[in-house]
Protein backbone atom coordinates (compact mmCIF):
# COMPACT_ATOMS: atom_id res chain seq x y z
CA UNK A 1 0.00 0.00 0.00
CA UNK A 2 3.06 2.32 -0.07
CA UNK A 3 5.20 3.83 -2.77
CA UNK A 4 8.89 3.16 -2.14
CA UNK A 5 11.79 4.79 -4.00
CA UNK A 6 15.38 3.78 -3.41
CA UNK A 7 17.63 6.78 -2.80
CA UNK A 8 20.66 4.69 -1.86
CA UNK A 9 22.61 5.57 -5.01
CA UNK A 10 22.62 9.27 -4.07
CA UNK A 11 25.10 8.76 -1.24
CA UNK A 12 26.36 11.80 0.73
CA UNK A 13 24.22 10.92 3.75
CA UNK A 14 20.88 10.74 1.92
CA UNK A 15 18.65 8.08 3.53
CA UNK A 16 18.14 4.77 1.72
CA UNK A 17 14.41 5.04 0.96
CA UNK A 18 11.59 7.47 0.35
CA UNK A 19 8.36 5.84 1.56
CA UNK A 20 4.97 7.46 0.88
CA UNK A 21 1.30 6.60 1.33
CA UNK A 22 -1.13 9.39 0.51
CA UNK A 23 0.00 12.56 2.29
CA UNK A 24 2.22 10.52 4.67
CA UNK A 25 5.91 10.51 3.70
CA UNK A 26 9.13 9.50 5.45
CA UNK A 27 12.78 9.20 4.55
CA UNK A 28 14.03 5.86 5.88
CA UNK A 29 17.59 4.83 6.66
CA UNK A 30 17.98 1.04 6.89
CA UNK A 31 20.68 -0.27 9.21
CA UNK A 32 21.72 -3.65 10.51
CA UNK A 33 20.83 -4.13 14.22
CA UNK A 34 24.24 -2.86 15.37
CA UNK A 35 24.72 -0.43 12.47
CA UNK A 36 25.67 3.20 13.09
CA UNK A 37 24.97 6.35 11.16
CA UNK A 38 27.92 7.71 9.20
CA UNK A 39 29.04 11.31 9.77
CA UNK A 40 27.45 12.24 6.41
CA UNK A 41 24.14 10.67 7.49
CA UNK A 42 24.23 12.49 10.82
CA UNK A 43 24.87 15.80 9.03
CA UNK A 44 22.02 15.16 6.57
CA UNK A 45 19.59 14.40 9.40
CA UNK A 46 20.59 17.59 11.25
CA UNK A 47 20.19 19.75 8.14
CA UNK A 48 17.05 18.18 6.63
CA UNK A 49 14.03 20.48 6.60
CA UNK A 50 11.84 18.03 4.72
CA UNK A 51 10.02 14.85 5.71
CA UNK A 52 10.76 13.08 8.97
CA UNK A 53 13.79 10.77 8.80
CA UNK A 54 13.44 7.39 10.49
CA UNK A 55 16.23 4.86 11.13
CA UNK A 56 15.08 1.24 11.17
CA UNK A 57 17.06 -1.81 12.23
CA UNK A 58 14.42 -4.54 12.05
CA UNK A 59 11.38 -5.71 10.15
CA UNK A 60 9.22 -5.08 13.22
CA UNK A 61 10.29 -1.41 13.19
CA UNK A 62 9.21 -1.15 9.56
CA UNK A 63 5.83 -2.70 10.38
CA UNK A 64 5.40 -0.25 13.28
CA UNK A 65 6.38 2.65 11.03
CA UNK A 66 3.67 1.68 8.54
CA UNK A 67 1.08 1.38 11.30
CA UNK A 68 0.60 -2.30 11.10
Amino acid sequence: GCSVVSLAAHGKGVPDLLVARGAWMRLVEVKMPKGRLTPDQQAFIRSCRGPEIVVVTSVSQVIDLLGG
Side-chain angles (χ1 to χ4, degrees):
C2 294
S3 297
V4 180
V5 177
S6 175
L7 304 174
H10 289 277
K12 300 186 183 196
V14 175
D16 296 317
L17 303 171
L18 172 67
V19 181
R21 181 174 52 205
W24 181 93
M25 184 182 310
R26 300 291 184 277
L27 293 169
V28 180
E29 177 61 33
V30 180
K31 291 289 185 194
M32 295 299 289
K34 293 185 180 182
R36 297 178 187 260
L37 294 172
T38 67
D40 282 346
Q41 290 167 333
Q42 293 172 5
F44 185 92
I45 290 170
R46 280 193 305 272
S47 68
C48 184
R49 301 294 179 249
E52 179 183 353
I53 299 172
V54 179
V55 179
V56 297
T57 59
S58 69
V59 173
S60 63
Q61 287 180 325
V62 174
I63 292 168
D64 289 345
L65 174 67
L66 299 176

